[in-house]
Amino acid sequence: MIRRRIRPARHAPGDSPLLHRIASILLRYPDETVLGRLDEVTAALPALADAADRDRLAHVTGALRALTPTAAAQGYVETFDHTRRRSLHLTYYRHGDTRARGMALLALKHVYRQAGHEPPGAELPDFLPLVLEFASLAPEPGRRVLLQCQSGLELLRGALRDRDDLYAPVLDAVCGRLPAPRGRDRDTLRRLATEGPPREEVGLEPFAPPEYMGAAPTERPGAPSASTSPLLPTNGDGVR
């Protein structure tokens, strides 16, 4: 597993939309569509300016390519499903099963729509691959969403690194494009890591990760998958 120092980026580099688009693809359920885009991802990696980011994402791309489709799917389920500690739904980490999470989800939908993007009804708007795709299409509001959800990103990143998971370098790359948490944000991270998300069960419609609500936790065959538009501009002959 690649372990690189994460730089505290104050401003988003110009290639962040491409990095977010690639990360969005790699963090989706590895169905036929996602696995079919791995060659395109590899071809797009040289356009990333930071060598460490290229290495991280190339490592994950190569690892997925080396797996059979069945093994890739099983690994994804083991990593992200049936565990609150590695949920891809970012607002859960801060708000847990509370009304505050419902409000956070509604606020996210408003941000998407204000930027001209209708969030798909089949997935919650805090689903990390969806957030990253939005950040690739609307970089400024997308970066603000990532900053608002940074505690969830950092907790997920730490949980993946603890198990030396295949997907950990993707979170390293995404978190490396954000300022390092400090002060009150660091205190919030410590508290959430120790206590876990808050709970509020009386009179509440549940907003836990979908695997705890009787719905599919992440994308599955037949659900909306990653956008299939090219990662880089083309001249009609494919990715350049």
Side-chain angles (χ1 to χ4, degrees):
M1 183 64 63
I2 295 175
R3 293 286 180 94
R4 305 275 185 134
R5 183 178 64 85
I6 305 301
R7 64 188 180 285
R10 294 189 176 184
H11 303 286
D15 61 354
S16 289
L18 176 60
L19 183 143
H20 291 148
R21 185 68 176 280
I22 291 172
S24 173
I25 293 171
L26 294 178
L27 287 173
R28 291 178 184 267
Y29 180 78
D31 58 13
E32 182 179 350
T33 299
V34 169
L35 295 178
R37 300 202 71 185
L38 294 181
D39 287 344
E40 186 183 358
V41 167
T42 298
L45 290 176
L48 297 175
D50 189 276
D53 286 337
R54 294 196 300 269
D55 289 349
R56 292 182 185 107
L57 299 177
H59 174 82
V60 177
T61 304
L64 286 173
R65 185 182 284 112
L67 296 173
T68 66
T70 298
Q74 290 175 342
Y76 186 92
V77 169
E78 181 181 346
T79 295
F80 296 117
D81 292 3
H82 314 303
T83 172
R84 294 171 182 263
R85 192 160 182 255
R86 297 189 298 275
S87 173
L88 287 169
H89 291 85
L90 296 178
T91 63
Y92 174 73
Y93 291 93
R94 182 181 286 271
H95 300 298
D97 302 322
T98 68
R99 292 175 179 86
R101 184 168 182 228
M103 296 302 295
L105 293 172
L106 289 174
L108 273 179
K109 288 185 177 182
H110 177 71
V111 172
Y112 283 30
R113 289 171 179 144
Q114 200 170 39
H117 299 277
E118 184 66 23
E123 186 53 74
L124 294 176
D126 66 342
F127 180 53
L128 178 54
L130 184 62
V131 172
L132 290 168
E133 185 172 352
F134 174 66
S136 76
L137 297 171
E140 286 306 316
R143 179 175 170 81
R144 290 196 296 271
V145 170
L146 289 170
L147 286 168
Q148 291 165 4
C149 297
Q150 189 172 16
S151 58
L153 286 168
E154 289 290 348
L155 288 167
L156 174 59
R157 170 177 168 260
L160 293 176
R161 287 170 66 93
D162 284 349
R163 73 194 305 264
D164 204 27
D165 195 88
L166 180 157
Y167 290 98
V170 183
L171 269 294
D172 285 345
V174 171
C175 291
R177 296 299 175 104
L178 300 174
R182 56 185 180 181
R184 184 178 300 178
D185 293 332
R186 261 204 319 267
D187 294 340
T188 298
L189 279 172
R190 291 193 191 100
R191 177 178 57 79
L192 290 173
T194 301
E195 301 175 4
R199 298 183 67 86
E200 177 183 87
E201 297 176 341
V202 178
L204 174 71
E205 180 181 351
F207 282 104
E211 60 265 33
Y212 294 94
M213 297 166 63
T218 50
E219 295 184 32
R220 293 291 178 270
S225 189
S227 170
T228 56
S229 57
L231 290 171
L232 293 175
T234 70
N235 61 357
D237 297 324
V239 176
R240 298 183 61 187

